[in-house]
């Protein structure tokens, strides 16, 4: 097949002893942990948005400070990687048949652009789907980690804890989230789901070193450049 120009390379994540995992799409769940003031309750349905696969930033990389913002906020999130897709996926099969493994991700957010979008009822893409906005660790296949339903999730900036929570506190659990997404769109192998963040981290600036962890998974370490 000849194309008008070379097609984009496939974005992949390492996956331990497995072959590299080809990333298809990145679904991100919003407002999925209870707020410290009790302000976030489980809604009627999960909130989600999508980042392009090209937004993936590999572990141990420098994230160039994005243009047009002065409020770059990191959100530590557990990432679920799917190796099977479909529509109307049954909740009780998600852990066994659909989840390939887990990773640690950062949903990088331009807080100033997000506040403006929320205030004016505009789309979130400018705030969420910019270049390098989805740092992600290697994937730990589920056959190593087992099913992860609880565990410490944390973000340190320059060694100081900025976010700390437990993945057990997710409002929408992984089987519910995968089922829900599969009722809105057809899911495919290679889809990643960033499952939401526990608390606000505050802004990061050039030179900051971010270490994002979920118990049992390889840490994600990036530097703001
Ligand atoms: Mn998020």
């Amino acid at each position: 097949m000849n194309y008008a120009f070379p097609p984009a390379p496939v974005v992949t994540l390492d996956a331990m002893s497995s072959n590299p995992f080809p990333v298809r799409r990145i679904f991100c769940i919003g407002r999925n942990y209870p707020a410290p003031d009790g302000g976030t309750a489980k809604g009627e349905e999960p909130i989600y948005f999508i980042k392009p696969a090209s937004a993936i930033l590999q572990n141990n990389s420098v994230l160039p400070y994005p243009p047009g913002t002065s409020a770059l906020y990191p959100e530590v999130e557990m990432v679920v990687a799917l190796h099977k897709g479909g529509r109307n996926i049954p909740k009780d099969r998600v852990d066994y048949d659909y989840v390939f493994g887990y990773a640690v991700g950062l949903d990088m957010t331009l807080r100033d652009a997000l506040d403006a979008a929320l205030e004016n009822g505009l789309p979130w893409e400018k705030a969420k789907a910019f270049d390098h906005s989805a740092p992600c660790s290697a994937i730990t296949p589920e056959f190593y980690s087992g099913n992860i339903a609880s565990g410490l999730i944390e973000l340190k900036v320059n060694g100081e804890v900025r976010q700390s929570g437990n993945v057990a506190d997710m409002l929408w659990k992984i089987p519910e989230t995968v089922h829900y997404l599969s009722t809105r769109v057809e899911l495919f192998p290679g889809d990643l789901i960033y499952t939401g963040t526990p608390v606000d981290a505050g802004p990061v600036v050039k030179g900051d070193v971010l270490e994002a962890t979920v118990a049992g998974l390889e840490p994600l370490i990036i530097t703001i450049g």
Side-chain angles (χ1 to χ4, degrees):
M1 171 73 81
N2 290 315
Y3 296 98
F5 50 85
V10 174
V11 174
T12 61
L13 290 167
D14 286 341
M16 298 176 71
S17 64
S18 170
N19 287 324
F21 180 94
V23 178
R24 180 145 180 164
R25 292 171 299 184
I26 304 170
F27 294 88
C28 300
I29 306 299
R31 297 176 192 154
N32 203 25
Y33 284 81
D37 60 2
T40 306
K42 190 170 179 177
E44 293 280 299
E45 48 189 66
I47 297 164
Y48 75 95
F49 55 92
I50 294 178
K51 299 191 191 221
S54 59
I56 289 285
L57 180 75
Q58 300 291 334
N59 203 352
N60 302 304
S61 296
V62 174
L63 190 161
Y65 196 92
T69 188
S70 53
L72 177 63
Y73 278 53
E75 299 181 354
V76 61
E77 312 206 356
M78 187 163 85
V79 178
V80 176
L82 302 182
H83 61 166
K84 185 175 174 183
R87 290 192 168 93
N88 300 310
I89 293 168
K91 289 175 204 169
D92 62 351
R93 299 311 306 169
V94 168
D95 288 334
Y96 306 101
D97 294 341
Y98 293 85
V99 173
F100 170 80
Y102 305 90
V104 183
L106 284 166
D107 166 18
M108 301 303 294
T109 302
L110 308 184
R111 177 59 64 174
D112 40 7
L114 184 61
D115 287 345
L118 289 167
E119 205 169 299
N120 298 297
L122 296 171
W124 290 16
E125 271 80 358
K126 190 162 65 175
K128 290 290 197 179
F130 54 96
D131 293 342
H132 319 298
S133 60
C136 194
S137 73
I139 297 169
T140 298
E142 197 181 35
F143 57 78
Y144 289 116
S145 65
N147 171 39
I148 298 182
S150 67
L152 186 67
I153 178 168
E154 215 163 56
L155 173 68
K156 287 181 187 166
V157 179
N158 305 322
E160 175 199 339
V161 177
R162 289 275 197 92
Q163 294 188 278
S164 187
N166 195 299
V167 297
D169 293 333
M170 282 183 203
L171 299 172
W172 294 92
K173 308 302 183 195
I174 290 160
E176 294 177 305
T177 299
V178 172
H179 167 74
Y180 170 77
L181 289 172
S182 76
T183 67
R184 305 301 307 194
V185 295
E186 182 176 3
L187 292 176
F188 288 94
D191 286 339
L192 297 178
I193 303 166
Y194 281 52
T195 54
T197 198
V199 283
D200 201 349
V204 290
V205 296
K206 286 179 192 175
D208 281 349
V209 177
L210 282 56
E211 182 178 0
T213 53
V214 172
L217 302 179
E218 178 188 344
L220 170 66
I221 298 170
I222 64 160
T223 303
I224 308 300

